[in-house]
Amino acid sequence: MNDTNWIDAALLAARPQAVGALLRYFRNLDTAEEAFQEACLRALKSWGKNGPPRDPTAWLIFVGRNSAIDVVRRQARQQPLPPEELLSDLEDAETAIVEKIDGSDYRDDILRLLFICCHPELPPTQQIPLALRIVSGLSVRQIARAFLVGESAMEQRITRAKSRIGAGEIPFETPGPIERAERLAAVAAMVYLIFNEGYSTGSTEAQARSPLCDEAIRLSRLLLRIFPTEPEIMGLTALLLLQSARSDARFDADGSVILLENQDRDLWNRSMINEGLALIDKAMRHRAPGPYQIQAAIAALHARAKRAEDTDWAEIDLLYAALERLTPSPVITLNRAVAVAKVRGPSEALALIEPLEERLSGYFHFFGVKGGLLMKIGRTSEAREAFNRAISLANTAAEAAHIRMHLDRLAQD
């Protein structure tokens, strides 16, 4: 990893907590973001030369806070920010910052920031995108892709949400237990989307984006400490752990995608799997199933199968059917079709997904699945057309390469 890469990774990992702390200090989203960006610029200059500070997050908070204060001072024609050499030598100041962070209301400014972004006075269509932008620093393009909407529409959502908070319509005070419980679903959804943004990458991006997965798991565990008896948070944490456990087996040496059924299961992280299985078993004992628990139960069936052929696809089909009833979605139906193909054949699976084409016309995975099903029943020309459409919609080079492999196979037949 070159100097720029390790600094970028450190800044990405530190962003949520740093922005959360800066927001607590200044109570203004724009000020917090600008202060963090200024701290990042100073880090790029300083860390490459001097190496990382003892606590990068505390360093960024300290420098960002003083940078924002300096803006106010300059506007008032007062003293400027101290020179770089003084800022770089944080010593006891850094420790004090860390202690202040640990002593905050949630013992974690990230979670407090999440609850602000997910305030019920903000429409749900704005809550999660705002949190993804502010907490995780995802680009508007990345967030729009996660929601299957255009960039301009997503930009408007985020701008409107920031405007409402900036105008003082959304309070910065720490919400009480009742308010926290009401916002929990939105916060959990945001954590899940952060994980997906880190997990849904090509092999060349995986190392750079893995902090998002780690951050999502950390946040989910934090939620579980605050809501220790909430089965859906148990399910969410289990789901993230079980999915993340497969990371090392998802790509081959050339960076090509390896499908779940072809992965080397010896590369799966058994420690994470065991933790995830224990959590989902505990959640299910509450007998209050929810979407995250069902998804985690599906992941658990894959994790418990020693070989791909041992997978209980019939049970997975039933679980997806239950998930469809709870949260109807064309993507869930598309996922269910994979299980249906295993249990009842590709023709029935194809019939299940064909009505979804209009709604998923811009979705890479739809055309990848459709092409695979058509190929299995011998409709070669239609399969080729679907695969070509999938390539045009691929989000990563690895996705496109995987589909081209299928096209090469069709050409040989």
Side-chain angles (χ1 to χ4, degrees), residues 246-273:
R246 302 196 294 261
S247 295
D248 290 343
R250 295 176 62 223
F251 304 99
D252 64 17
D254 297 324
S256 298
V257 174
I258 302 177
L259 296 180
L260 179 60
E261 62 188 34
N262 298 321
Q263 289 177 8
D264 181 353
R265 301 186 177 217
D266 289 337
L267 296 177
W268 290 0
N269 186 316
R270 280 292 140 190
S271 175
M272 296 181 82
I273 287 174

Side-chain angles (χ1 to χ4, degrees), residues 207-259:
Q207 190 172 35
R209 306 301 289 173
S210 63
L212 288 179
C213 294
D214 297 338
E215 181 62 23
I217 291 172
R218 193 188 73 81
L219 287 171
S220 186
R221 284 171 168 155
L222 184 60
L223 285 174
L224 192 56
R225 287 203 298 271
I226 296 174
F227 300 94
T229 61
E230 175 53 58
E232 268 294 83
I233 301 304
M234 297 178 202
L236 172 64
T237 309
L239 175 61
L240 303 192
L241 288 166
L242 292 169
Q243 288 184 323
S244 187
R246 302 196 294 261
S247 295
D248 290 343
R250 295 176 62 223
F251 304 99
D252 64 17
D254 297 324
S256 298
V257 174
I258 302 177
L259 296 180

Side-chain angles (χ1 to χ4, degrees), residues 187-380:
V187 172
M190 193 282 317
V191 171
Y192 184 47
L193 284 175
I194 287 179
F195 179 86
N196 279 345
E197 186 57 43
Y199 194 74
S200 303
T201 61
S203 61
T204 56
E205 300 174 293
Q207 190 172 35
R209 306 301 289 173
S210 63
L212 288 179
C213 294
D214 297 338
E215 181 62 23
I217 291 172
R218 193 188 73 81
L219 287 171
S220 186
R221 284 171 168 155
L222 184 60
L223 285 174
L224 192 56
R225 287 203 298 271
I226 296 174
F227 300 94
T229 61
E230 175 53 58
E232 268 294 83
I233 301 304
M234 297 178 202
L236 172 64
T237 309
L239 175 61
L240 303 192
L241 288 166
L242 292 169
Q243 288 184 323
S244 187
R246 302 196 294 261
S247 295
D248 290 343
R250 295 176 62 223
F251 304 99
D252 64 17
D254 297 324
S256 298
V257 174
I258 302 177
L259 296 180
L260 179 60
E261 62 188 34
N262 298 321
Q263 289 177 8
D264 181 353
R265 301 186 177 217
D266 289 337
L267 296 177
W268 290 0
N269 186 316
R270 280 292 140 190
S271 175
M272 296 181 82
I273 287 174
N274 291 337
E275 182 182 355
L277 293 177
L279 274 173
I280 189 56
D281 288 346
K282 181 178 179 181
M284 289 299 187
R285 287 198 291 271
H286 285 256
R287 298 187 180 279
Y292 294 121
Q293 293 173 73
I294 295 174
Q295 291 177 77
I298 292 168
L301 288 172
H302 288 297
R304 287 188 164 106
K306 294 182 179 179
R307 303 173 303 164
E309 51 266 37
D310 297 332
T311 305
D312 189 347
W313 286 108
E315 183 64 21
I316 289 175
D317 179 21
L318 292 174
L319 286 169
Y320 270 123
L323 190 59
E324 280 183 309
R325 290 192 293 272
L326 279 178
T327 56
S329 160
V331 173
I332 291 173
T333 303
L334 180 65
N335 290 334
R336 183 187 176 193
V338 176
V340 169
K342 297 285 187 180
V343 178
R344 299 193 290 278
S347 295
E348 190 162 336
L350 187 62
L352 184 66
I353 70 168
E354 282 180 334
L356 308 176
E357 184 158 352
E358 182 177 351
R359 284 181 288 172
L360 297 178
S361 60
Y363 192 48
F364 161 81
H365 293 288
F366 172 81
F367 292 98
V369 171
K370 181 180 179 181
L373 295 173
L374 288 166
M375 185 171 64
K376 287 179 180 177
I377 60 178
R379 292 162 60 177
T380 305

Side-chain angles (χ1 to χ4, degrees), residues 17-241:
Q17 194 162 5
V19 174
L22 291 167
L23 178 62
R24 174 159 49 88
Y25 293 139
F26 298 108
R27 303 170 72 86
N28 183 288
L29 279 176
D30 289 331
T31 300
E33 283 195 287
E34 290 167 8
F36 178 73
Q37 290 304 322
E38 179 60 30
C40 289
L41 291 174
R42 288 177 176 265
L44 289 170
K45 295 177 182 178
S46 174
W47 297 0
K49 179 174 62 177
N50 302 324
R54 179 160 50 92
D55 188 321
T57 302
W59 191 100
L60 290 164
I61 294 169
F62 183 82
V63 173
R65 183 182 63 172
N66 282 285
S67 174
I69 290 172
D70 185 46
V71 171
V72 176
R73 285 176 174 172
R74 285 201 304 270
Q75 292 172 349
R77 297 184 179 179
Q78 294 185 7
Q79 295 297 317
L81 190 67
E84 180 67 39
E85 57 268 20
L86 295 181
L87 288 175
S88 299
D89 184 18
L90 300 182
E91 294 299 332
D92 291 341
E94 183 180 304
T95 300
I97 290 289
V98 174
E99 289 175 352
K100 189 171 184 181
I101 292 171
D102 290 341
S104 64
D105 290 331
Y106 282 115
R107 299 184 180 276
D108 193 310
D109 277 306
I110 306 172
L111 190 60
R112 183 173 182 275
L113 179 58
L114 292 177
F115 280 121
I116 291 172
C117 291
C118 294
H119 194 281
E121 290 186 20
L122 288 175
T125 55
Q126 295 178 13
Q127 291 175 356
I128 297 171
L130 177 68
L132 287 169
R133 180 74 192 100
I134 300 300
V135 179
S136 296
L138 302 188
S139 69
V140 174
R141 181 187 63 81
Q142 291 169 322
I143 300 170
R145 189 177 70 198
F147 281 84
L148 303 177
V149 301
E151 288 185 43
S152 59
M154 185 55 67
E155 179 71 52
Q156 290 176 1
R157 290 186 197 178
I158 295 171
T159 300
R160 283 196 292 266
K162 290 177 68 176
S163 296
R164 290 195 65 181
I165 292 175
E169 296 181 46
I170 306 300
F172 285 88
E173 286 70 23
T174 301
I178 295 176
E179 291 82 0
R180 279 183 291 179
E182 289 173 346
R183 296 188 217 174
L184 186 58
V187 172
M190 193 282 317
V191 171
Y192 184 47
L193 284 175
I194 287 179
F195 179 86
N196 279 345
E197 186 57 43
Y199 194 74
S200 303
T201 61
S203 61
T204 56
E205 300 174 293
Q207 190 172 35
R209 306 301 289 173
S210 63
L212 288 179
C213 294
D214 297 338
E215 181 62 23
I217 291 172
R218 193 188 73 81
L219 287 171
S220 186
R221 284 171 168 155
L222 184 60
L223 285 174
L224 192 56
R225 287 203 298 271
I226 296 174
F227 300 94
T229 61
E230 175 53 58
E232 268 294 83
I233 301 304
M234 297 178 202
L236 172 64
T237 309
L239 175 61
L240 303 192
L241 288 166

